[in-house]
Amino acid sequence: MSEENQLDEKLDLNHFDALHIKTQGEKLIDKWKEFGSFDDIKSDLFLFGMEANGAIEEYTSRIICGEVISDDYSDKAFDYVYSRMSQGHRVRLLTECGILTELWDKLDDFRHLSNEIAHNRGEGLELTDELIEGAVRSAIEAVKTLHQYTIEHIY
């Protein structure tokens, strides 16, 4: 496969990720508005959280490899960034480098909600319209912003 075709394939995959997260997030918000019960959205919320976190991790890894790490070290660093570096450390590194610093604070609600669901299954979590909509919309916006940054600066 030519290098140009590989780039097109990566961009298509990234666009799919961003579009998929947006679509799933909007469906989740609609379902929450319709039912308003954690039990009714639990599996959708869990899946959305996993997918959004996965997309955010993928984009942040690509940005670090493309913007922060020198080409001289990219082969060695690639495995570390993708496989062993925690997402918290990825965000911290990007913040310290001044890359997308405004984005990370916006993700606090989403991180809080994701962690509660992942670690406590949402037990005792008081869900409100503001929490659900805010967290989901911040995740959608983060994926969109990371997608756009990747297209403009990495590829």
Side-chain angles (χ1 to χ4, degrees):
M1 181 181 292
S2 75
E3 192 171 312
E4 187 175 306
N5 286 344
Q6 287 177 340
L7 176 61
D8 287 344
E9 188 175 300
K10 286 180 182 178
L11 291 175
D12 286 346
L13 179 62
N14 285 342
H15 181 70
F16 172 76
D17 285 347
L19 186 59
H20 176 74
I21 297 300
K22 180 178 187 243
T23 302
Q24 293 306 107
E26 289 171 352
K27 286 180 183 178
L28 178 59
I29 290 170
D30 289 344
K31 194 171 184 179
W32 168 255
K33 286 179 179 179
E34 182 178 347
F35 297 107
S37 163
F38 179 67
D39 288 337
D40 289 324
I41 66 161
K42 184 176 9 183
S43 61
D44 294 327
L45 186 58
F46 184 76
L47 182 59
F48 175 80
M50 296 287 287
E51 291 176 337
N53 276 321
I56 291 167
E57 288 182 12
E58 177 66 24
Y59 284 124
T60 55
S61 295
R62 288 180 187 199
I63 292 168
I64 289 169
C65 287
E67 295 277 89
V68 177
I69 298 173
S70 165
D71 287 340
D72 295 339
Y73 302 106
S74 62
D75 288 340
K76 294 176 184 177
F78 179 84
D79 181 54
Y80 174 72
V81 171
Y82 271 88
S83 302
R84 289 177 269 175
M85 183 180 238
S86 73
Q87 183 58 23
H89 286 127
R90 286 186 197 109
V91 169
R92 185 181 209 164
L93 179 59
L94 290 172
T95 300
E96 293 296 323
C97 292
I99 298 172
L100 297 168
T101 54
E102 72 285 349
L103 179 64
W104 311 119
D105 288 338
K106 294 178 184 176
L107 278 173
D108 282 344
D109 283 344
F110 177 66
R111 280 194 298 264
H112 171 71
L113 183 61
S114 292
N115 286 336
E116 280 295 323
I117 291 167
H119 299 291
N120 302 323
R121 297 184 187 170
E123 301 291 327
L125 182 63
E126 187 174 326
L127 297 179
T128 63
D129 291 346
E130 293 80 22
L131 178 60
I132 295 291
E133 287 189 53
V136 171
R137 291 200 190 287
S138 69
I140 291 170
E141 187 60 32
V143 171
K144 177 182 169 187
T145 300
L146 291 166
H147 168 72
Q148 191 65 36
Y149 189 92
T150 302
I151 289 172
E152 292 173 3
H153 297 275
I154 306 302
Y155 294 116

